[in-house]
Amino acid sequence: MNGSRLKTAAILVVALCLLAANAQACGELMLRSLGAMRYHAFVTKHPAQILLYAGEAAAADKRPGATEARLHDSLERVGHKVSLAHGHGELGQALTTHQYDVIIAYADDMAGATTQIAKASREPMLIPVLDPASNEQQMRERFPRLVTGNFNDLLKAIEQAMSPSKA
């Protein structure tokens, strides 16, 4: 009887070991799923026709302008249609050939182009990005949608500008 008990105990231990190999720690599955959810890309609910504009102020300072390829690609990745314009000539041509929902540029460039933008058949929303050399308070009074933060802040401003309740 002792041998039979030992044999039964050994079989149970082996069976438990095999079953335990598939077991996961409490909460491990939840952590895995949250980790995967963290990397889901943001997709816009309100796709916009966006014009990225780099004027003379950006060119003179040789700073990365609004027309930087990375910004263009990131905006398209979230679902927007993006075009580029360098200087007043390209801006005027772009505004006469196409209607844009949003124009994004450094605040200094935006200030220099407002008269040209106002001549567009349908005036787009202006989302200036604050330049470190600009006076934030003065620019905020002039442009209420001024963005001072990162790319996520820019996406929020575009979503707010494009939402039906704000348009």
Side-chain angles (χ1 to χ4, degrees):
M1 195 155 198
N2 211 3
S4 141
R5 231 180 192 180
L6 190 57
K7 206 183 236 185
T8 304
I11 291 173
L12 282 174
V13 168
V14 170
L16 286 174
C17 288
L18 290 174
L19 289 173
N22 292 331
Q24 296 179 351
C26 180
E28 183 180 354
L29 187 60
M30 183 182 291
L31 287 175
R32 280 190 199 167
S33 66
L34 288 175
M37 288 179 6
R38 185 178 346 150
Y39 298 109
H40 284 301
F42 172 81
V43 177
T44 184
K45 294 177 184 173
H46 309 287
Q49 295 287 331
I50 297 176
L51 178 64
L52 297 177
Y53 172 63
E56 285 73 24
D61 291 345
K62 298 196 190 291
R63 62 185 175 212
T67 56
E68 184 178 309
R70 206 171 95 205
L71 176 61
H72 177 276
D73 294 343
S74 298
L75 288 170
E76 283 193 339
R77 207 173 307 126
V78 300
H80 299 295
K81 302 281 188 230
V82 183
S83 300
L84 308 172
H86 296 276
H88 285 297
E90 286 185 25
L91 176 64
Q93 184 180 6
L95 291 173
T96 57
T97 59
H98 193 75
Q99 288 189 349
Y100 294 96
D101 300 313
V102 174
I103 296 179
I104 299 171
Y106 278 118
D108 292 339
D109 287 334
M110 192 75 74
T114 52
T115 55
Q116 198 169 9
I117 294 168
K119 293 177 186 176
S121 60
R122 184 181 65 122
E123 195 169 333
M125 301 274 186
L126 306 179
I127 302 179
V129 177
L130 184 67
D131 186 19
S134 298
N135 179 349
E136 181 177 351
Q137 183 178 3
Q138 180 184 9
M139 288 296 180
R140 196 165 291 285
E141 288 172 4
R142 189 166 184 187
F143 302 110
R145 295 190 195 281
L146 183 71
V147 175
T148 58
N150 57 20
F151 184 68
N152 288 334
D153 293 339
L154 180 61
L155 290 177
K156 287 177 191 174
I158 295 169
E159 283 297 307
Q160 289 172 351
M162 294 304 298
S163 70
S165 62
K166 301 280 182 178

